[in-house]
Amino acid sequence: MFGGLALALSELPVELIERRGLAERIHDRGGEPEVRFLFGQRQRVLPAWLNGQLQIVSWGTRRGESRSLPCTGWTWLETVEAGGWAGDGVQPVVIPATLGFDGGVWFGIREGIRGVAATDEAGVTRVYVVCEPASHYYQVMTRSPRMPCLIGERI
C-alpha cells in the first residue's frame, strides 16, 4: 500500500514549514534534505497544489473524523473517472513528490502524484491519493497490487 512520500526541502517555502510545524519531518538522504509525509504518522498530511497555492492538507479521513467522506487515504482512478468524486468542493490536485514509499521501498517520482481534494462537513479539506492497478514491475518491487497515479510517467 502506498505509504508516503518525500519532497525535497528546497521545494517547500520556509514559512510553510514553520507555520505547519514540519521541521520534525525533515530527514537527510545522502546530503539532500527532504520532508517526509507518511500515512502512519500521527498527523497525516500531504502537500498539495490547491487553488493555485502549495498547501499542507489532511491526508484522507480516519474513522470518526467525517460522516460524509470515506474512511481512507486513497481512491481508485476508475472511481474518479466514473464520477464517484463529482461533488461540490471536490477538485483534482497535484501532490508534489520527489520520492514515493511503498512496501518498504523508496522510488523516484519526476513530477508528482494525482489526487483529489474534498471538503468535509466541518469545512476541513482532505486529500486522497488516486491509485490504479500496479504495473508488473511496481508489484514486484513493492508487493503492492495498487500504485499511485503518477503525473507524466508510469513505473
Side-chain angles (χ1 to χ4, degrees), residues 52-149:
Q53 295 182 42
L54 182 59
Q55 299 181 35
I56 304 299
V57 292
S58 294
W59 182 355
T61 306
R62 284 188 168 120
R63 187 170 283 116
E65 287 183 331
S66 174
R67 290 183 309 273
S68 62
L69 295 175
C71 182
T72 185
W74 308 270
T75 187
W76 285 103
L77 175 61
E78 182 178 298
T79 303
V80 173
E81 290 177 340
W85 286 89
D88 288 340
V90 176
Q91 59 185 303
V93 297
V94 172
I95 302 166
T98 308
L99 297 164
F101 182 71
D102 196 344
V105 176
W106 287 98
F107 57 92
I109 297 176
R110 288 188 213 134
E111 293 184 46
I113 302 167
R114 287 182 62 182
V116 292
T119 304
D120 67 16
E121 64 275 7
V124 176
T125 300
R126 300 179 182 279
V127 170
Y128 299 82
V129 174
V130 176
C131 295
E132 62 185 325
S135 66
H136 177 72
Y137 178 80
Y138 190 92
Q139 193 165 11
V140 168
M141 178 176 72
T142 66
R143 296 182 187 90
S144 178
R146 65 179 175 185
M147 64 186 207
C149 292

